Amino acid sequence: MLLPKRMTRVLIVGSRGALKDTIEVLYQLESAHLIDFSADEDGFGLGAPLPASSDASQKLLKLRSLKKDLDLESMEIKDQVDVARIEADIADTIIELGAEITGAMESKNNIHARLNELEAKKTTLQNFQSIPLDLEYYHNYDSLKVFTGKIRGDPNIALKAAVPQYELFLSSDGGFVAVFVPKAQAEEAQKILVQFGFTEVPAPAGKGTPTDLIGRVDEELITLRGGLEEATKKSSDLREKHATFVMAADEHLSIIVEKAETPLRVGTTDYSFAMDAWVPTEDMTKVEKTISEKLSGKVHIESLETMARKEAHGHVHEDVHEEEIPTKLENGRTAKKFEFLTRLLSMPKYREIDPTAAMMITLPIFFGLMVGDMGYGIPFILLGALGLKKTKSNEWRIISTLLFFGGIWATLFGFFMFGEAYGMHFAEQHGEISWSSLLGMQLPQQFSIFGYDIPIGIYSKLHNVREMLYMSIWIGIAHLFIGFCIGFYNKTIRYGLKHAIMEKLSWLFILVGGAMLLLVLVDLMIRGVTVEMTDWRLLAAIPLMLVGVLMAYKGEGSGAILELPGLMGNIISYTRLAAIGMSKAGLALAFNTIAFEVIFAHDPLVSGSNSGDMIMLIAALAIFVIGHLTIFILAVLSAGLHSLRLHYVEFFMKFYEGGGVEFKPLKVIRKYTVDKIGTGE
Amino acid sequence: MADAGLIAIGAGIAVGLTGLASGFAEKEIGSAAIGAMAENEKLFGKGLILTVIPETIVIFGMVVAILLWLNM
């Protein structure tokens, strides 16, 4: 379960005529990861796509352009179409749909173009509205030149000086002008106008007043907009009607093309083919049996080598370029949900432990410890369960999973360890606001089960900082210990026990020695106890660390010594488990104090005391809800990301290599289509 | 206690300066990581790891501050 599935490398050879059937069989088996043929082998060339490919590709091209016109990407489609129906209808549908869609799109585009044109005309006409002239007076003069356009300022005085004869109309706001001058003086008049920032706006053709014309344009605009609405409705009707079929046909054709192009990954000669593939060892019997049954005698399958976990070329630091063995992760139902997080970092290699299972256990615990509050834990469980039920995308599912399991731990920690909900303890403590003092009743501090006393809340996040820090550092040491142990195992299976001892056991020694030194340090610095030089912890720690460092130095070189402070940093990094819990408790305390002590006048020392004012109670509850909602959202971000980071950075670095290739067998995934009769071509 | 104020200031400096330092370091790594992710989404994991590495600085500061506070 922890290691990826064992892989066997196989060679499949046969006569070229059987290639198509072989591909079909492999697609049905869903357990062959094809290795791309490299063209450097003697006598073999790349295979040519099967004949089905070109026809399907052409159809697919047309279909995709229709799909784009219809804007189907955002549609949600639930129905599935039978492959046989697609086969029967596809050619006709593409032609028919093509004509309809092109027609609809064209009329829509035409309307758009005309709309733009009319709107531009309307803007021009609006300029002429405030000049009391009909439009026909601007055109058809033999001896007059007409200037119309925008202007800044009144050019009357300047014109009078330069041009003896002219007539000028200025719009009421002074921004538009129409000037009539004899053609002989047009040039001078223009010079003057330019000085006033004149930009020409030619008068539109037509008769009647500009206002009349605008009226007519408006009428046409209304008709056009109606037409546009109709065209839009028509295209959305088309979209509704054909979406299912188009999506299904797209999927079906893509599958055909993918299958038909598989020979491009296979080596062929004139009469034969050879394909290299990885098959999970457990599927080998099934694969061999199916191939010999279905392709009787025409195709031969040979198992070349079942890959061991040990590196073939022995040495650790040599960069060996061998065929990458694909990784097929093997996880149970719950662990599968966490696989996404492992993939997010990198795919595990074939020769190492898949860390998903380890992460599945500790990630929610860390999350729960950081939240550590029943008031948030229970909503987290509910939200997570809801998310798992409703959402489909990988990202949301993993967030929901984390919330669900993290919420369970948060509730457990919140109840047994911290005994609090929404930042308030159940029982009265330290003279702070608590549920007991607020509700005016004594909540128990422990309960009995089978004669054992079980406490509700041992620590307070803000008052037992020392203990919280201490605890988080020990969690860190334990977590890293597991990390090094996995690393030890990985090294053993890949390079043998000797390497594992030198590279990982050495660090285990250093870690354990460091943990003992920590005990001494805590005694010295925090508890203020004097420590004798003959204390057993010192006597054990120093030799352990020395031996560990020497071994690491021999195994990894001088870089190992540079990593020593790094290990200390890693351990201290786990104090964030305490720190984030504290910061949330601090925020919650602040909001609770504002809501109940300041606004609702509750005195934590007097049980059940308050101002008794309903309005104040409502205000207090509003602050309470908003404040805790903020903390709740922050908790997802900070607790989620930090627990992930502790795994990715501190934990994984101790053993994880990653960079493997995912096992991708030849396989068909149908979402919009169903294949009722078997292998639809 | 007369030293309480000084200890509080010391704790504040420890957290504040290390916080600034982390932020400063993460800013550059983070923007580079986003740039890399824009080209290749698969780099998210590596980008995240590299971005949060300097966070340890502020955790050191916090531990120092808490130790100071406990001795108040």
Side-chain angles (χ1 to χ4, degrees):
Chain A
M1 179 188 163
L2 292 171
L3 282 164
K5 281 197 178 164
R6 220 165 247 283
M7 289 285 160
T8 300
R9 187 166 179 168
V10 298
L11 185 67
I12 303 169
V13 288
S15 72
R16 197 160 163 182
L19 181 55
K20 191 177 150 211
D21 292 338
T22 314
I23 291 170
E24 202 53 57
V25 169
L26 289 179
Y27 264 98
Q28 281 170 35
L29 281 167
E30 298 187 349
S31 49
H33 174 106
L34 215 58
I35 300 168
D36 284 341
F37 173 75
S38 57
D40 54 8
E41 278 166 61
D42 271 349
F44 280 95
L46 279 184
L50 300 173
S53 150
S54 74
D55 179 45
S57 297
Q58 273 175 13
K59 280 183 192 153
L60 194 60
L61 198 65
K62 278 183 202 149
L63 203 68
R64 292 252 165 96
S65 94
L66 294 181
K67 197 168 134 188
K68 200 165 159 257
D69 282 344
L70 284 177
D71 188 23
L72 288 181
E73 295 300 332
S74 54
M75 293 269 293
E76 201 171 301
I77 288 153
K78 293 207 177 89
D79 297 336
Q80 293 188 317
V81 183
D82 186 17
V83 167
R85 213 194 107 202
I86 297 178
E87 282 296 321
D89 293 353
I90 184 131
D92 293 339
T93 311
I94 286 181
I95 294 170
E96 189 189 320
L97 197 60
E100 275 185 69
I101 292 174
T102 323
M105 292 307 274
E106 231 166 58
S107 72
K108 215 166 141 182
N109 286 345
N110 286 344
I111 293 175
H112 263 297
R114 181 74 185 139
L115 265 178
N116 288 340
E117 202 179 297
L118 283 177
E119 259 153 23
K121 192 175 170 192
K122 191 175 161 186
T123 326
T124 318
L125 281 170
Q126 275 162 348
N127 286 324
F128 287 86
Q129 236 176 338
S130 64
I131 292 173
L133 286 176
D134 285 358
L135 281 174
E136 60 260 39
Y137 296 133
Y138 292 101
H139 302 286
N140 301 328
Y141 292 108
D142 291 333
S143 58
L144 282 181
K145 169 85 180 160
V146 187
F147 292 103
T148 50
K150 292 186 175 151
I151 200 157
R152 288 194 293 271
D154 186 352
N156 239 326
I157 300 164
L159 271 178
K160 225 171 247 171
V163 189
Q165 269 184 309
Y166 72 94
E167 177 133 29
L168 182 141
F169 298 89
L170 197 64
S171 67
S172 48
D173 63 349
F176 197 79
V177 77
V179 183
F180 297 78
V181 282
K183 275 200 172 148
Q185 283 138 19
E187 223 168 282
E188 279 114 75
Q190 189 170 16
K191 271 183 203 157
I192 302 286
L193 287 173
V194 167
Q195 283 169 13
F196 285 85
F198 176 78
T199 42
E200 188 165 12
V201 179
K207 284 185 176 168
T209 62
T211 317
D212 283 347
L213 273 172
I214 288 178
R216 261 175 270 156
V217 168
D218 276 339
E219 270 168 39
E220 197 180 341
L221 276 175
I222 290 168
T223 345
L224 277 176
R225 289 207 178 109
L228 185 66
E229 229 164 71
E230 211 169 283
T232 314
K233 192 175 168 297
K234 199 175 161 196
S235 69
S236 83
D237 283 350
L238 275 175
R239 191 174 148 194
E240 289 292 325
K241 194 174 146 202
H242 296 292
T244 315
F245 187 83
V246 170
M247 292 303 274
D250 182 334
E251 184 178 277
H252 178 62
L253 288 173
S254 307
I255 290 169
I256 293 181
V257 171
E258 194 195 312
K259 279 186 190 171
E261 282 177 354
T262 311
L264 289 170
R265 305 172 63 191
V266 176
T268 54
T269 64
D270 287 346
Y271 302 105
S272 67
F273 73 89
M275 52 171 96
D276 240 345
W278 292 105
V279 174
T281 310
E282 57 181 30
D283 293 348
M284 269 309 287
T285 13
K286 189 183 86 186
V287 171
E288 276 171 327
K289 199 170 145 236
T290 318
I291 284 185
S292 69
E293 266 170 20
K294 292 211 173 169
L295 305 160
S296 51
K298 280 182 268 175
V299 173
H300 176 70
I301 178 166
E302 178 146 345
S303 141
L304 296 180
E305 188 185 6
T306 295
M307 300 311 289
R309 310 286 180 181
K310 201 167 165 59
E311 290 286 350
H313 302 272
H315 282 289
V316 190
H317 300 293
E318 239 171 74
D319 213 8
V320 186
H321 287 284
E322 60 168 282
E323 281 294 346
E324 224 21 279
I325 310 166
T327 311
K328 187 178 187 191
L329 300 181
E330 192 181 12
N331 282 308
R333 239 186 77 205
T334 316
K336 249 208 160 46
K337 297 198 179 94
F338 285 88
E339 257 177 30
F340 179 79
L341 291 177
T342 311
R343 283 161 204 258
L344 195 62
L345 184 63
S346 170
M347 197 73 188
K349 273 197 160 55
Y350 177 69
R351 304 178 201 274
E352 68 182 340
I353 282 188
D354 166 18
T356 310
M359 189 155 65
M360 173 181 76
I361 298 166
T362 45
L363 191 72
I365 297 185
F366 286 1
F367 181 89
L369 192 60
M370 282 192 249
V371 175
D373 188 303
M374 267 185 88
Y376 307 134
I378 292 170
F380 274 142
I381 299 177
L382 296 178
L383 260 184
L386 188 77
L388 281 177
K389 216 172 161 195
K390 296 266 173 196
T391 57
K392 292 226 165 60
S393 81
N394 274 334
E395 287 85 355
W396 283 113
R397 284 195 76 78
I398 183 62
I399 291 173
S400 308
T401 316
L402 185 57
L403 288 186
F404 182 73
F405 290 105
I408 293 178
W409 281 107
T411 311
L412 290 177
F413 280 123
F415 187 76
F416 292 108
M417 196 156 150
F418 303 112
E420 63 178 39
Y422 299 114
M424 285 187 280
H425 291 283
F426 297 120
E428 276 178 53
Q429 268 181 32
H430 310 285
E432 265 175 14
I433 181 170
S434 64
W435 288 104
S436 297
S437 75
L438 190 65
L439 301 175
M441 56 166 103
Q442 280 300 320
L443 293 174
Q445 209 153 11
Q446 57 182 30
F447 65 94
S448 289
I449 198 164
F450 302 126
Y452 293 101
D453 284 340
I454 305 210
I456 304 171
I458 313 165
Y459 289 154
S460 157
K461 281 183 201 154
L462 292 175
H463 292 277
N464 298 85
V465 176
R466 211 183 293 245
E467 289 80 358
M468 295 275 294
L469 275 186
Y470 197 56
M471 181 192 70
S472 53
I473 282 187
W474 278 106
I475 292 177
I477 290 173
H479 204 219
L480 292 178
F481 189 87
I482 300 170
F484 279 124
C485 287
I486 301 177
F488 182 80
Y489 183 75
N490 274 348
K491 288 279 178 208
T492 315
I493 56 171
R494 286 182 72 175
Y495 305 110
L497 195 62
K498 199 178 139 233
H499 279 291
I501 288 176
M502 283 311 198
E503 287 177 28
K504 295 295 169 188
L505 193 67
S506 55
W507 284 103
L508 277 172
F509 282 176
I510 298 173
L511 186 69
V512 174
M516 287 177 177
L517 268 190
L518 179 75
L519 285 173
V520 176
L521 270 181
V522 167
D523 272 3
L524 273 177
M525 289 176 67
I526 295 179
R527 291 170 63 195
V529 183
T530 45
V531 177
E532 300 286 323
M533 276 312 284
T534 51
D535 190 286
W536 68 272
R537 294 170 301 192
L538 269 181
L539 289 182
I542 290 168
L544 263 178
M545 289 186 79
L546 274 178
V547 172
V549 170
L550 276 177
M551 276 159 64
Y553 178 73
K554 252 200 110 197
E556 292 179 25
S558 49
I561 290 167
L562 292 177
E563 275 180 42
L564 271 176
L567 184 65
M568 195 180 85
N570 287 159
I571 296 173
I572 292 182
S573 191
Y574 281 85
T575 54
R576 75 184 70 223
L577 290 174
I580 286 166
M582 276 165 59
S583 70
K584 260 190 271 297
L587 269 176
L589 180 70
F591 282 120
N592 291 337
T593 308
I594 294 172
F596 296 117
E597 291 185 38
V598 178
I599 297 179
F600 198 42
H602 165 68
D603 182 354
L605 296 176
V606 184
S607 184
S609 64
N610 58 56
S611 69
D613 186 339
M614 273 317 278
I615 295 172
M616 285 301 175
L617 177 63
I618 291 169
L621 286 178
I623 298 266
F624 182 79
V625 169
I626 294 170
H628 285 282
L629 207 61
T630 315
I631 304 173
F632 186 75
I633 293 164
L634 278 179
V636 184
L637 289 177
S638 60
L641 271 183
H642 281 281
S643 48
L644 201 58
R645 174 225 140 97
L646 281 179
H647 284 81
Y648 280 175
V649 183
E650 272 79 20
F651 185 53
F652 280 16
M653 288 293 194
K654 301 290 166 277
F655 62 91
Y656 194 58
E657 200 164 293
V661 178
E662 193 181 352
F663 178 76
K664 277 190 184 142
L666 298 177
K667 184 178 175 181
V668 168
I669 299 167
R670 291 182 187 274
K671 207 170 142 195
Y672 306 117
T673 52
V674 276
D675 193 353
K676 282 184 188 152
I677 37 165
T679 60
E681 248 306 296
Chain B
M1 210 202 291
D3 290 341
L6 282 176
I7 290 179
I9 289 175
I13 290 176
V15 170
L17 286 186
T18 48
L20 278 178
S22 294
F24 210 69
E26 279 186 21
K27 163 200 104 179
E28 312 236 339
I29 306 172
S31 53
I34 297 281
M37 257 173 71
E39 293 196 4
N40 180 1
E41 273 186 41
K42 281 188 186 155
L43 289 173
F44 172 81
K46 285 212 174 69
L48 181 69
I49 288 186
L50 291 173
T51 309
V52 297
I53 280 178
E55 227 167 61
T56 317
I57 306 174
V58 72
I59 302 266
F60 283 146
M62 184 206 72
V63 171
V64 168
I66 290 178
L67 288 178
L68 281 172
W69 174 44
L70 290 176
N71 287 325
M72 240 163 126

